[in-house]
Amino acid sequence: MKTKTHALDYYRRMLAEQDHAMKRLDEHARIILFARSQEIPVNPEPANRWYYVISGAVRRSAIRSDGRRQILDLMLPTDFFLVFNRHDDSTVEAIAEDTALASYSGQRAEQLAQRDTGFARELREVAFQDLSRIRDQLLIIGGVTADEKVGSFLLALASRLPGGTDQVVLPVTRYDIAEYLAVSVETVCRSFTSLQQRGAITLAGKRTVNIINRELLEERNDHDGYTATRRQQFCQPLAQTES
Amino acid sequence: MKTKTHALDYYRRMLAEQDHAMKRLDEHARIILFARSQEIPVNPEPANRWYYVISGAVRRSAIRSDGRRQILDLMLPTDFFLVFNRHDDSTVEAIAEDTALASYSGQRAEQLAQRDTGFARELREVAFQDLSRIRDQLLIIGGVTADEKVGSFLLALASRLPGGTDQVVLPVTRYDIAEYLAVSVETVCRSFTSLQQRGAITLAGKRTVNIINRELLEERNDHDGYTATRRQQFCQPLAQTES
DNA sequence: CGGGTTATTGACGTCCCTCAACAATGGTGG
DNA sequence: CCACCATTGTTGAGGGACGTCAATAACCCG
């Protein structure tokens, strides 16, 4: 109960400082605490439901046909997300203990959006944030080397987490990282040690990463071939047709 | 000009038969023809702009830091998509000759959404289709084997293209497929021949694929190890906390 | 203390990226 | 009409990277 009060205080402070999109719905918001691995419910209402991550972390995942799990999205503090209740075979669950979420009624949000143009715009912005997040993930997953994927993941995490961006406290396990990046857990571990040996990061404990060299993180470990210089061959200027 | 008339006729017929979301905006829609590799403009208006694919194909892509291109989304006929005009380093362009798009003013759409609740809902549905598409792509890219990726890609394409789902006429080049799946072009080619040799597909020309065995397409080529039976170990029932 | 989760490292085999060469296709200009 | 060229598509050789299996350590919690 103390934790819940703390989370709510944090939320109120955030509301006072930042002018976040759902502020107009604050009076109707509900603060809910979730345990680790607890699924975020969809049922309580016929309409969709908006959530705002106050603390902790949430993942959206799906099970592939071969049984492997793929994490489709990772929601961190200050992130909004939406949970559908139809034709969506993905599950949403908390991955940190005592994850605090602010929950908003989708119906009420839509009603307010109907009356308030500015709020409707903010609502759309929030939906676009979802798209932006998953596009970033797609770019990260599309990396060739595992070191590249893990490095990009760490950089993306550092830019999303609050505080100084040179130290990242991982809110997820190695398994979560593996399922997020679509690689094996062992490969994630090896990438961590590899990045550490190359001087890109240092590990203070299992979950605390200090970023030393950002360029090494976003570069490929191009120690022989394996990287194309086949680039730029598609980047012709696309001669404009003049009428 | 004849092609444009044909596309417009097709569009009118679609409007009459199906009751698609943007029907209310039809009077303000503009039909535009795009050449191959021509970028879909963002500028003509301060607000965002909605598009509907009548014929052809459109891709959204970004250039990664190492110079490789990653296709972030693939829009096919009957798909809607939205083009932002801010902090979005991805480019949207037609990839088929004479791609016909219906273009809608984002401002007008929002105005109509403000007055019409049902239309506002449809507008949101369309935005969610974008999310659904990219999540499917993420699942496909997350596949382990290249054969698996190409197979899933073909199945997804078959379900999205009109007509009988056993024959797929590829609207994209091998290079596009490679950049969509984040693998090399050569690997895509080898997967095509591999799938053909295994009896999953047959190739009638370079671009026409006949799907013979759907199960072979979504399965892994599990001829030794390389596939985990490590599944299900995370799928514990998540004991509900009872108050 | 015991058991489960999490994390790490090694060995081995295979998949895929790279480089290379070449065929097939399509459009353009002489 | 045909040569020429760019794009597109295909196949082979070689090597590095990653998945799998295995073993073990570190950590948390009851």
Side-chain angles (χ1 to χ4, degrees):
Chain A
M1 188 60 77
K2 194 173 59 179
T3 310
K4 179 166 183 175
T5 307
H6 176 272
L8 205 148
D9 286 346
Y10 186 89
Y11 175 65
R12 298 292 178 198
R13 212 177 319 125
M14 179 278 298
L15 268 187
E17 293 173 358
Q18 309 171 20
D19 184 45
H20 88 138
M22 294 297 186
K23 191 168 185 175
R24 312 288 290 273
L25 280 178
D26 175 43
E27 42 191 334
H28 308 296
R30 293 196 309 228
I31 310 292
I32 313 182
L33 272 190
F34 290 90
R36 179 190 178 82
S37 295
Q38 187 179 1
E39 188 168 351
I40 278 74
V42 207
N43 9 345
E45 222 155 323
N48 301 325
R49 196 145 187 91
W50 285 92
Y51 289 96
Y52 174 84
V53 183
I54 300 172
S55 67
V58 179
R59 78 174 171 200
R60 177 191 303 274
S61 58
I63 305 295
R64 219 182 272 95
S65 56
D66 61 355
R68 284 167 48 236
R69 171 187 289 150
Q70 175 68 53
I71 294 185
L72 295 173
D73 202 355
L74 199 58
M75 285 74 85
L76 302 176
T78 74
D79 282 337
F80 284 97
F81 65 96
L82 187 57
V83 176
F84 306 83
N85 54 0
R86 57 184 171 284
H87 51 70
D88 197 327
D89 49 357
S90 63
T91 66
V92 183
E93 55 186 321
I95 53 178
E97 202 61 45
D98 294 325
T99 291
L101 302 182
S103 167
Y104 309 90
S105 159
Q107 277 183 328
R108 222 182 289 269
E110 294 177 7
Q111 288 171 6
L112 183 53
Q114 197 176 351
R115 290 195 301 270
D116 187 341
T117 307
F119 179 79
R121 177 173 300 278
E122 287 182 285
L123 206 60
R124 275 189 297 273
E125 298 280 343
V126 166
F128 296 157
Q129 285 178 16
D130 268 42
L131 264 178
S132 187
R133 273 203 308 273
I134 200 169
R135 281 180 189 152
D136 288 343
Q137 183 178 355
L138 201 58
L139 278 173
I140 294 175
I141 281 193
V144 185
T145 306
D147 288 14
E148 189 185 0
K149 295 186 187 182
V150 174
S152 306
F153 174 76
L154 288 178
L155 285 179
L157 212 57
S159 68
R160 288 176 62 186
L161 288 177
T165 58
D166 54 344
Q167 176 160 305
V168 180
V169 178
L170 299 176
V172 292
T173 68
R174 301 283 192 272
Y175 287 88
D176 287 323
I177 300 177
E179 293 169 351
Y180 183 92
L181 299 177
V183 294
S184 71
V185 193
E186 297 90 333
T187 300
V188 173
C189 279
R190 275 184 263 264
S191 288
F192 269 105
T193 61
S194 168
L195 291 173
Q196 197 174 13
Q197 289 174 350
R198 290 168 51 199
I201 61 173
T202 58
L203 284 177
K206 306 288 186 186
R207 293 289 189 96
T208 303
V209 179
N210 290 299
I211 297 180
I212 306 298
N213 190 331
R214 304 184 86 87
E215 296 180 354
L216 278 178
L217 277 184
E218 53 192 5
E219 268 177 15
R220 291 263 336 260
N221 186 5
D222 200 349
H223 46 47
D224 210 43
Y226 218 71
T227 284
T229 38
R230 200 181 305 182
R231 58 199 66 163
Q232 243 82 355
Q233 73 168 306
F234 300 112
C235 302
Q236 59 270 58
L238 309 178
Q240 288 283 73
T241 56
E242 41 181 337
S243 60
Chain B
M1 189 60 78
K2 192 173 58 176
T3 310
K4 180 165 183 177
T5 307
H6 176 272
L8 205 148
D9 286 346
Y10 186 89
Y11 176 66
R12 299 293 177 198
R13 214 176 318 125
M14 180 277 299
L15 269 187
E17 292 172 359
Q18 310 172 19
D19 185 45
H20 88 139
M22 294 295 186
K23 191 168 186 176
R24 313 288 290 271
L25 280 178
D26 174 43
E27 41 191 334
H28 309 295
R30 292 197 309 230
I31 309 291
I32 313 180
L33 271 190
F34 290 90
R36 178 191 179 82
S37 294
Q38 186 180 0
E39 189 169 348
I40 277 73
V42 207
N43 7 346
E45 220 155 326
N48 301 325
R49 195 144 188 90
W50 285 93
Y51 290 95
Y52 174 84
V53 183
I54 300 173
S55 67
V58 178
R59 76 174 173 201
R60 176 190 304 271
S61 58
I63 305 295
R64 219 183 270 95
S65 56
D66 61 355
R68 284 168 47 237
R69 170 187 290 151
Q70 175 67 53
I71 294 185
L72 295 173
D73 201 356
L74 199 59
M75 285 74 85
L76 302 177
T78 75
D79 283 337
F80 284 97
F81 65 96
L82 188 56
V83 176
F84 306 84
N85 53 2
R86 57 182 168 282
H87 50 70
D88 196 328
D89 49 357
S90 63
T91 64
V92 183
E93 54 186 323
I95 52 179
E97 202 62 45
D98 294 324
T99 291
L101 302 182
S103 167
Y104 308 90
S105 159
Q107 277 183 327
R108 219 181 292 268
E110 295 178 5
Q111 287 171 4
L112 182 53
Q114 198 176 349
R115 290 194 301 269
D116 186 340
T117 308
F119 179 78
R121 177 173 300 277
E122 286 182 284
L123 207 60
R124 276 189 296 272
E125 298 280 342
V126 166
F128 296 157
Q129 285 177 18
D130 269 41
L131 265 178
S132 187
R133 272 204 307 273
I134 199 169
R135 282 181 189 152
D136 288 343
Q137 183 178 355
L138 201 57
L139 279 173
I140 294 175
I141 281 193
V144 185
T145 306
D147 288 16
E148 190 185 359
K149 294 187 186 181
V150 174
S152 306
F153 174 76
L154 289 177
L155 285 179
L157 212 57
S159 69
R160 287 176 63 186
L161 288 177
T165 58
D166 54 343
Q167 176 162 305
V168 180
V169 178
L170 299 176
V172 292
T173 68
R174 300 284 193 272
Y175 286 88
D176 288 322
I177 299 177
E179 292 170 353
Y180 183 93
L181 299 177
V183 295
S184 70
V185 194
E186 298 90 332
T187 300
V188 174
C189 278
R190 274 184 263 266
S191 287
F192 269 104
T193 61
S194 166
L195 290 174
Q196 196 174 14
Q197 287 173 352
R198 290 167 52 201
I201 60 173
T202 59
L203 285 176
K206 307 288 185 186
R207 293 290 190 93
T208 303
V209 179
N210 290 299
I211 297 180
I212 305 299
N213 190 331
R214 305 183 87 87
E215 294 181 356
L216 278 178
L217 278 184
E218 53 192 4
E219 268 177 16
R220 292 264 332 264
N221 186 6
D222 200 350
H223 47 45
D224 210 41
Y226 219 73
T227 284
T229 37
R230 199 182 306 184
R231 58 199 67 165
Q232 243 82 353
Q233 72 168 306
F234 299 112
C235 301
Q236 59 269 58
L238 310 176
Q240 287 284 69
T241 55
E242 42 182 336
S243 61

